Amino acid sequence: GPELSQEDWSLFLNDFKRRMNEADFICMSGSWPKNAPDDAYRQLLDMAAERNKKVILDSSGKQLEEAMKTGCFGLHVNQAEAEKFCGSSDLKDLLEKLDGKVDLVALTKGAEGLELYYNQEVIHAKVEIPHVVSTVGSGDCLTAGIAYALTQRETTIREIAAYGVACGAANCLIEDLGMLRNTDVQELLPQVEFREII
């Protein structure tokens, strides 16, 4: 992939600072190019915090470790990423490791579905789909679904989980990576199954 020069990084920071003023929510996900700072996400989170912007982060490894020194509004990790971060794929262990630095935590476990923590509530959500074309980009689509739900008024934890799961699953139905069709999302939403976790 591409490499990131110091000049590129400075330009990106300036652009991010300018554009985040237009945002209600900021979603950050993906890996960084070669030569990016190990704390790239943490730097962005610090900038967002200065302007009281809510950020949902989807990250792993060193970037995640650094980012959680600051914390953020929301975090999405999959089972493997959780195990590397806290040594466990159990949501309670993940929450203990995060130590109150994140308000919303989405832990995905592939076909087993989503475990979502928000406002002191925990819920499990999943939806069955007839066939899987590709799972690449499903995590990004799930994060986008959660962000969308959070922008709606009086959103419940079930609605947040439903949009996350439906958007993540909708991505699996088409060949375009990290994409989805609204018609698929709307069809999947009423099929989402929930289970409360104590």
Side-chain angles (χ1 to χ4, degrees), residues 83-158:
E83 287 173 356
K84 288 181 182 177
F85 177 64
C86 71
S88 169
S89 62
D90 187 289
L91 183 60
K92 290 180 181 177
D93 295 331
L94 178 58
L95 291 172
E96 185 175 330
K97 171 80 172 181
L98 293 170
D99 195 27
K101 292 184 177 179
V102 181
D103 296 325
L104 178 149
V105 179
L107 173 60
T108 49
K109 298 185 175 182
E112 292 180 35
L114 163 72
E115 293 179 3
L116 182 68
Y117 166 85
Y118 185 53
N119 284 341
Q120 307 301 314
E121 291 184 79
V122 181
I123 198 166
H124 176 271
K126 67 179 290 188
V127 65
E128 300 290 341
I129 54 176
H131 64 282
V132 175
V133 176
S134 172
T135 60
V136 178
S138 289
D140 294 326
C141 289
L142 179 137
T143 303
I146 288 172
Y148 171 78
L150 286 164
T151 64
Q152 308 307 298
R153 290 186 177 180
E154 300 178 10
T155 308
T156 66
I157 189 171
R158 281 185 171 234

